[in-house]
Amino acid sequence: MRLLSRKATCNSHGQDSSYFLGWQEYEKRPYDAVRNPTGIIQMGLAENQLSFDLLESWLAANPDAASFRRDGESIFRELALFQDYHGLPAFKKTLAEFMSEIRGNKVSFDPTNLVLTAGATSANETLIFCLAEAGEAFLLPTPYYPGFDRDLKWRTGAEIVPIECHSSNGFKITQAALDDAYESARKRNLRVKGVLITNPSNPLGTTMTKEELNLLLNFVNAKDIHLISDEIYSGTVFKAPGFISVMEVLHDKKLENTDVWNRVHIVYSLSKDLGLPGFRVGAIYSNNDTVVAAATKMSSFGLVSSQTQYLLSALLSDKNFTKNYIKENQKRLRRGHEMLVNGLRNVGIECLQSNAGLFCWVDMRHLMRSNTFEGEMEIWKKILYDVGLNISAGGSCHCSEPGWFRVCFANITEDTLNLSMQRLKNFVISLNSSSSQSHHQRMNNSRRRSLTKWVLRLSFNDRAPEER
Amino acid sequence: MANLSKLATNDGHGENSPYFDGWKAYDENPYHPINNPNGVIQMGLAENQLSFDLIQEWIQKNPKASICTKEGIFSFKDIAIFQDYHGLPEFRHAMVKFMGQVRGDRVTFDPNRIVMGGGATGASEILMFCLADPGDAFLVPSPSYPAFDRDLRWRTRLQLIPVPCSSANDFQLEREALEEAYKKAQQANIRVKGLILANPSNPLGTLMSKDALTTLVSFINEKNIHLVCDEIYSATIFHQPEFVSISEVIQDPNVVCNKDLIHIIYSLSKDMGLPGFRVGIVYSYNDAVVACARKMSSFGLVSSQTQHLLALMLSDKEFVARYLEENAKRLAKRHMLFTKGLEEVGISCLRSNAGLFVWMDLRRLLSEPTLEGEMKLWRIIINDVKLNVSPGSSFHCCEPGWFRVCFANMDDHTMEVALQRIQSFVDQKNESLVKSEVLVIKDNKRRQKSLCLNFTASRLDESVNMSTRVMSPHSPLASLANGSNQDLNRTHQGLK
């Protein structure tokens, strides 16, 4: 008899991909301006580290939130005991208001329709548990966040069928792609329960257009399936066009109290907008009472620490702070984005035009020796081992076309960003140099060696911080 | 309506069980010494509310432990971005220090085996996902923690097979019972993957002896199945004998055991009284399980803010020693007060030396020795006596008439009120038992005057007077902040 479960011995957790290998390499020799200036620069981590000073100054000015006090009175005991899966009412209220504020107050959220979970990781898994049986499928536009393979499939037993998007139209979702995906699921005998989108997109960094959202709503309506919109990056939209939430479209089309209203669910988190991934704050928002009720009970398996709920309810209730934070944070993101785009352009590398997120979707197809995923991996490894930048290969995001990479800019300082551009410049120059013939020969040999090493490493791979 | 999953619409969460009626009764009419002195007193919630002052004092003296104070804010950024599922190293080190201290430093735990879960709820589910496939079974000695039904089965699709224990031997787990349950499962073609139990026991409050644990280990080793020990109550022991952890048993060179089969669940919700902080731990001696559980912990990591606070608190050896000692003292005192009070009206409890509750024997108050009899009595206790206690059947106890009654989730005064209500109820019950006997005699000897009648009448009067006296509170509660924080006090976590 097998000692452990199948889940424990399969690799549906998805950690054998290059995405996590890059992590490992980085951990071995991380860049530090003083202690390790030739180390690997982490550009595979979609974290927002640009606005901590704003949070820190708020904390300095609001000591009560820190020390379990409200109006000078200690509420430690009440917080320590508070494990109600309905969540701290004050926190849900302010979270709903914050979500509204991010959407320019064009939609309002009812706190009783919010379910708190330990991060968006848990929110997405919980929603799938509620909406699909093991063996049923969700359609996801590619490229998508690599962690979805674990979050949506691993313990739920659900399947993901890709909606293939292409660079020919800026990776937008089309009717044809939706129909193809649905048909593909049917051929595999998979019952489709819904579509899951990330809007703004990870890894593209683009917001969905109204047309795409309309397309999706019509599609899920026609097929009588669900739509999950992961809006974790909604507060990172830093330039036009603005963010349109699926909720807004539902309102505009006056679809309240129709069938589809009950089948649209939003996932949110404070990990990207506020840069607080360590606090594990995720949320599900649904107008479907049954889903809210079931998800609430399931949230028992991953509630948000009451200590954290309290701190954040105080933070988010300060409307001056939230208004200023959202604005300033977006300004800084725009700047970081510009720096990266310009820096890459200077070495002849273009990015997909984007207006959100903590990263760019970078086109390195012209640098590949062959238009294949092997060619993509070749570049990726060179960039990792020789250039010393950990970026994410499009293949690990299930992109259908090789040669695209996600490069993050919001987790490093401007100096580090400049340095990374400098290193890349040198790399591109060396690639184009006429001594490339023997250079390629050498690269082939070292590539073969590192490929072997890589394969061996994969088997013992066990480190993976959370990331999106 | 669009299709939802079976999970979303079935009863696997367990909240449609009749036992939630007690909860609802409390929610609708919660006791408050001033605002609602006739309300329902919550005795169904196994919380440790006796030692907060100690923790609060520590927090005040250690502002660095918070990342938001001026002393601790320099750590804010690093902690806020820390989402590594390995957990903060200092947190893991502090946890093993603490767990070791709780076991009198007779065991050393390895910080690299500490894996986080969303409370013990999340931790237990993670373990089950790692150890068993849908349809597989775990043996669970009963009476057992009711939420195991949800935590271990709901989303994992496992089966639970109870191994009944009886009062005949003080509910101790017998090897024969285990063998019997295992054999039956085999015959029914059910694959048993392991055995899970809470030690100290919930709801019994008793400990397993070293011998009993050794027998257990021999059983699971022989069958090559897993042993999961939920040691969530390990620091609530308030009398001898001392707690023997499974970790101690397997480090004994005389005990033969495949360590890959041994796993511990832990949490700070009971020992430290911090259920709101959602600190669950999976500790496994099996490397593959540690690796898998760690990946799964992504679904329920402990907030880094909380990890940071606890890392400092739990590594303060002096504080921990003081806390453990004082906490045990307070539990002992409360336990003694309560059990003595019950003895005064002839109610006995299973002899116990741990936990936040007693296992109360009300068998003689049952109108009939059946589940119906128990439920009938239970509803009277909730609706008339106004105490939310937990009936034994909710713990899958095979003998009717036992009730779990929590004593550590209230202040001294409320405890007194609760005791008085029980005492008065039992007295009344005694009265009516006598009264019904008297009526029978009267029937049989219709024309005869009896001294008994006069006797009974005066006793009835007494009881009426007593009940009036009992219902009025003695003094307002100074320590509770309940009134101003009602929105924080609702709990729907089910029977714990």
Side-chain angles (χ1 to χ4, degrees):
Chain A
M1 178 173 75
R2 197 187 312 118
L3 196 62
L4 302 185
S5 67
R6 281 187 205 97
K7 287 181 183 64
T9 45
C10 70
N11 62 359
S12 301
H13 47 73
Q15 283 190 210
D16 296 337
S17 82
S18 67
Y19 187 77
F20 296 99
L21 173 65
W23 216 275
Q24 258 193 315
E25 260 333 283
Y26 165 75
E27 300 259 320
K28 282 197 205 137
R29 46 183 192 106
Y31 167 79
D32 181 281
V34 172
R35 287 181 295 240
N36 193 14
T38 57
I40 296 181
I41 298 175
Q42 176 64 287
M43 301 186 88
L45 189 52
E47 268 175 8
N48 182 0
Q49 295 193 26
L50 302 181
S51 306
F52 277 117
D53 57 313
L54 302 177
L55 291 165
E56 283 159 359
S57 58
W58 186 89
L59 286 170
N62 294 270
D64 263 10
S67 47
F68 300 107
R69 298 181 95 77
R70 177 158 66 202
D71 304 326
E73 286 288 307
S74 172
I75 54 165
F76 171 74
R77 188 175 154 277
E78 285 75 10
L79 284 177
L81 291 173
F82 189 82
Q83 55 175 336
D84 182 354
Y85 57 33
H86 290 95
L88 205 61
F91 177 50
K92 289 218 300 200
K93 176 170 176 290
T94 55
L95 184 60
E97 286 163 358
F98 185 65
M99 287 169 70
S100 219
E101 199 176 341
I102 284 177
R103 290 156 183 72
N105 290 315
K106 285 181 244 148
V107 276
S108 71
F109 293 92
D110 179 354
T112 58
N113 288 345
L114 261 179
V115 180
L116 298 175
T117 60
T121 300
S122 178
N124 279 313
E125 191 199 39
T126 297
L127 262 180
I128 299 296
F129 267 125
C130 288
L131 304 178
E133 305 297 341
E136 293 182 338
F138 260 74
L139 309 180
L140 265 66
T142 64
Y144 62 76
Y145 162 55
F148 278 151
D149 290 326
R150 172 196 63 194
D151 300 351
L152 310 182
K153 298 195 309 180
W154 193 17
R155 306 192 307 179
T156 61
E159 293 289 344
I160 294 176
V161 174
I163 301 166
E164 302 214 353
C165 300
H166 302 281
S167 58
S168 49
N169 73 337
F171 295 95
K172 289 203 184 20
I173 298 174
T174 63
Q175 183 68 53
L178 284 170
D179 292 334
D180 281 348
Y182 195 84
E183 178 60 21
S184 163
R186 198 191 61 80
K187 287 212 182 86
R188 287 166 61 184
N189 264 324
L190 296 172
R191 181 159 170 225
V192 176
K193 290 311 282 288
V195 177
L196 188 149
I197 58 172
T198 306
N199 178 28
S201 163
N202 174 11
L204 304 176
T206 53
T207 49
M208 255 188 210
T209 62
K210 213 171 220 167
E211 290 70 42
E212 284 173 287
L213 289 168
N214 275 324
L215 198 63
L216 282 160
L217 282 172
N218 290 336
F219 182 75
V220 301
N221 200 24
K223 303 289 187 211
D224 194 26
I225 58 180
H226 296 271
L227 177 62
I228 299 176
S229 178
D230 184 342
E231 302 189 348
I232 193 177
Y233 288 99
S234 46
T236 66
V237 180
F238 48 76
K239 69 178 194 209
F243 174 59
I244 304 173
S245 165
V246 68
M247 276 302 162
E248 209 186 309
V249 178
L250 283 170
H251 270 290
D252 288 349
K253 287 162 77 110
K254 299 206 189 331
L255 290 171
E256 292 93 331
N257 303 315
T258 60
D259 258 351
V260 78
W261 177 253
N262 286 322
R263 293 202 307 272
V264 174
H265 322 281
I266 288 181
V267 166
Y268 187 55
S269 160
L270 297 179
S271 298
K272 309 297 175 183
D273 292 350
L274 284 186
L276 306 171
F279 288 2
R280 314 315 300 145
V281 181
I284 295 170
Y285 187 88
S286 176
N287 294 308
N288 184 321
D289 291 342
T290 314
V291 170
V292 171
T296 301
K297 293 178 179 70
M298 282 192 192
S299 69
S300 302
F301 297 109
L303 298 173
V304 179
S305 168
S306 58
Q307 178 192 20
T308 301
Q309 288 190 55
Y310 182 65
L311 170 66
L312 294 172
S313 71
L315 181 82
L316 296 180
S317 67
D318 185 340
K319 303 302 182 201
N320 279 336
F321 169 78
T322 55
K323 192 159 142 207
N324 180 50
Y325 181 93
I326 291 173
K327 206 170 69 174
E328 182 60 31
N329 181 50
Q330 284 169 359
K331 215 162 79 181
R332 298 178 187 188
L333 287 173
R334 185 167 50 241
R335 186 178 154 80
H337 174 262
E338 245 166 54
M339 278 183 68
L340 180 60
V341 168
N342 291 336
L344 288 169
R345 186 168 285 146
N346 281 343
V347 295
I349 298 177
E350 287 299 320
C351 300
L352 179 73
Q353 206 178 45
S354 66
N355 62 330
L358 311 174
F359 33 74
C360 288
W361 188 236
V362 181
D363 184 357
M364 297 205 203
R365 288 176 292 176
H366 60 293
L367 299 178
M368 294 195 296
R369 282 206 315 151
S370 66
N371 185 21
T372 60
F373 283 106
E374 287 72 34
E376 176 180 286
M377 271 292 103
E378 220 185 290
I379 301 241
W380 177 75
K381 269 185 256 157
K382 278 183 206 163
I383 295 182
L384 178 63
Y385 294 109
D386 300 346
V387 185
L389 303 179
N390 179 32
I391 63 179
S392 309
S396 67
C397 302
H398 300 279
C399 186
S400 53
E401 296 169 34
W404 292 87
F405 294 81
R406 188 192 75 169
V407 182
C408 301
F409 59 77
N411 61 311
I412 47 181
T413 63
E414 286 185 8
D415 285 343
T416 311
L417 190 51
N418 280 327
L419 175 62
S420 70
M421 292 299 97
Q422 189 60 46
R423 288 188 187 179
L424 205 54
K425 186 172 184 182
N426 297 339
F427 167 68
V428 170
I429 289 170
S430 75
L431 266 189
N432 294 335
S433 82
S434 54
S435 61
S436 57
Q437 195 74 5
S438 50
H439 179 77
H440 283 318
Q441 193 62 39
R442 278 197 301 278
M443 287 313 299
N444 275 339
N445 289 338
S446 78
R447 189 171 24 111
R448 243 196 304 276
R449 279 197 297 275
S450 27
L451 184 59
T452 319
K453 269 192 265 177
W454 179 37
V455 168
L456 283 174
R457 258 192 291 259
L458 276 179
S459 341
F460 298 102
N461 186 347
D462 187 40
R463 286 190 65 79
E466 298 317 293
E467 204 275 307
R468 279 177 162 249
Chain B
M1 187 173 56
N3 287 330
L4 302 184
S5 67
K6 292 195 194 83
L7 281 183
T9 47
N10 70 18
D11 278 344
H13 48 73
E15 290 185 29
N16 290 338
S17 84
Y19 307 114
F20 276 82
D21 288 354
W23 226 259
K24 290 175 197 152
Y26 169 75
D27 269 352
E28 283 158 18
N29 184 20
Y31 169 81
H32 185 274
I34 302 160
N35 302 337
N36 193 17
N38 295 329
V40 176
I41 296 179
Q42 176 65 280
M43 303 190 89
L45 193 51
E47 274 176 1
N48 181 359
Q49 293 192 25
L50 303 183
S51 306
F52 280 123
D53 55 318
L54 304 174
I55 300 180
Q56 230 167 302
E57 193 193 319
W58 186 93
I59 291 179
Q60 253 161 312
K61 290 206 183 112
N62 293 271
K64 227 174 79 172
S66 164
I67 49 175
C68 313
T69 55
K70 69 176 188 301
E71 293 87 347
I73 203 167
F74 69 93
S75 313
F76 180 81
K77 183 176 161 186
D78 289 337
I79 299 295
I81 55 175
F82 189 86
Q83 56 175 339
D84 182 348
Y85 62 22
H86 287 81
L88 280 173
E90 55 268 32
F91 171 70
R92 282 184 285 115
H93 280 95
M95 268 319 303
V96 302
K97 257 204 193 120
F98 180 73
M99 287 168 69
Q101 231 177 317
V102 167
R103 290 152 184 73
D105 286 318
R106 294 182 296 273
V107 198
T108 315
F109 291 97
D110 177 358
N112 294 321
R113 293 191 177 282
I114 294 280
V115 171
M116 296 178 285
T121 301
S124 319
E125 194 197 39
I126 284 175
L127 252 186
M128 292 301 113
F129 269 124
C130 290
L131 302 180
D133 291 311
D136 289 344
F138 258 73
L139 302 174
V140 190
S142 61
S144 59
Y145 169 52
F148 271 163
D149 291 341
R150 173 197 65 190
D151 299 352
L152 311 179
R153 285 189 324 176
W154 189 22
R155 306 191 306 182
T156 58
R157 339 284 171 133
L158 304 192
Q159 301 187 53
L160 293 181
I161 298 175
V163 183
C165 305
S166 88
S167 60
N169 71 339
D170 288 341
F171 295 95
Q172 287 172 86
L173 181 59
E174 301 274 298
R175 174 121 188 197
E176 294 76 50
L178 284 170
E179 296 282 0
E180 176 71 25
Y182 186 82
K183 194 174 84 187
K184 271 206 186 116
Q186 301 281 79
Q187 286 166 348
N189 260 327
I190 297 173
R191 189 165 58 187
V192 175
K193 287 308 285 286
L195 164 67
I196 180 167
L197 52 69
N199 176 37
S201 161
N202 174 11
L204 305 175
T206 52
L207 306 181
M208 288 198 80
S209 66
K210 182 154 188 221
D211 283 342
L213 282 168
T214 308
T215 305
L216 210 61
V217 167
S218 132
F219 170 76
I220 57 109
N221 211 47
E222 184 193 293
K223 307 285 190 267
N224 197 32
I225 61 176
H226 295 279
L227 175 59
V228 178
C229 287
D230 181 348
E231 299 192 343
I232 195 176
Y233 288 99
S234 51
T236 65
I237 287 89
F238 47 80
H239 273 150
Q240 289 292 327
E242 217 169 37
F243 175 57
V244 178
S245 162
I246 189 68
S247 53
E248 288 172 63
V249 173
I250 61 167
Q251 76 183 7
D252 183 338
N254 297 320
V255 173
V256 169
C257 179
N258 174 8
K259 290 209 167 86
D260 277 347
L261 298 173
I262 310 291
H263 323 275
I264 295 176
I265 291 169
Y266 188 55
S267 158
L268 297 178
S269 300
K270 310 295 176 184
D271 290 349
M272 298 287 287
L274 305 171
F277 288 5
R278 313 316 301 148
V279 182
I281 303 288
V282 174
Y283 189 95
S284 173
Y285 289 90
N286 181 320
D287 292 346
V289 172
V290 171
C292 179
R294 188 180 284 134
K295 293 179 181 73
M296 284 189 182
S297 68
S298 304
F299 298 108
L301 297 173
V302 176
S303 167
S304 55
Q305 177 192 18
T306 303
Q307 287 186 53
H308 179 77
L309 172 71
L310 294 169
L312 270 125
M313 195 191 294
L314 300 181
S315 55
D316 184 339
K317 268 197 116 93
E318 212 182 88
F319 163 74
V320 167
R322 232 178 342 110
Y323 178 89
L324 293 176
E325 195 190 319
E326 184 60 29
N327 182 50
K329 265 199 201 124
R330 296 178 186 186
L331 285 172
K333 181 165 171 222
R334 192 48 83 78
H335 175 265
M336 189 196 66
L337 250 168
F338 193 58
T339 47
K340 284 246 163 341
L342 292 176
E343 271 163 29
E344 276 167 29
V345 288
I347 296 189
S348 64
C349 298
L350 181 72
R351 209 164 69 158
S352 66
N353 65 327
L356 309 173
F357 33 72
V358 291
W359 189 235
M360 187 168 70
D361 184 356
L362 294 183
R363 285 177 292 176
R364 67 175 178 83
L365 297 184
L366 295 180
S367 53
E368 51 182 86
T370 60
L371 173 63
E372 289 72 32
E374 179 180 286
M375 294 305 275
K376 204 165 131 198
L377 178 59
W378 179 59
R379 286 188 204 287
I380 292 173
I381 297 177
I382 295 206
N383 299 317
D384 300 350
V385 189
K386 302 255 182 26
L387 302 174
N388 180 30
V389 300
S390 311
S393 49
S394 68
F395 298 89
H396 301 293
C397 183
C398 54
E399 288 174 40
W402 293 86
F403 291 78
R404 189 193 75 171
V405 185
C406 300
F407 57 71
N409 63 311
M410 62 195 67
D411 65 8
D412 290 336
H413 173 80
T414 309
M415 160 105 301
E416 267 175 60
V417 173
L419 253 179
Q420 279 160 6
R421 289 187 189 179
I422 296 176
Q423 286 168 336
S424 142
F425 168 68
V426 174
D427 278 345
Q428 273 180 342
K429 260 285 193 168
N430 287 340
E431 294 299 328
S432 60
L433 279 172
V434 170
K435 193 179 173 198
S436 59
E437 283 169 21
V438 165
L439 285 172
V440 166
I441 294 170
K442 208 179 169 190
D443 255 355
N444 293 341
K445 298 180 181 180
R446 236 170 266 157
R447 284 180 191 169
Q448 238 180 325
K449 265 193 187 177
S450 169
L451 281 169
C452 299
L453 276 172
N454 292 338
F455 229 81
T456 313
S458 63
R459 278 163 82 185
L460 269 173
D461 284 341
E462 266 183 358
S463 73
V464 165
N465 287 338
M466 265 181 74
S467 60
T468 322
R469 230 187 305 143
V470 161
M471 286 311 183
S472 56
H474 292 247
S475 58
L477 286 152
S479 54
L480 273 178
N482 272 344
S484 58
N485 291 299
Q486 266 180 10
D487 63 344
L488 288 177
N489 283 337
R490 295 170 64 227
T491 50
H492 290 270
Q493 280 297 300
L495 300 159
K496 279 199 164 226

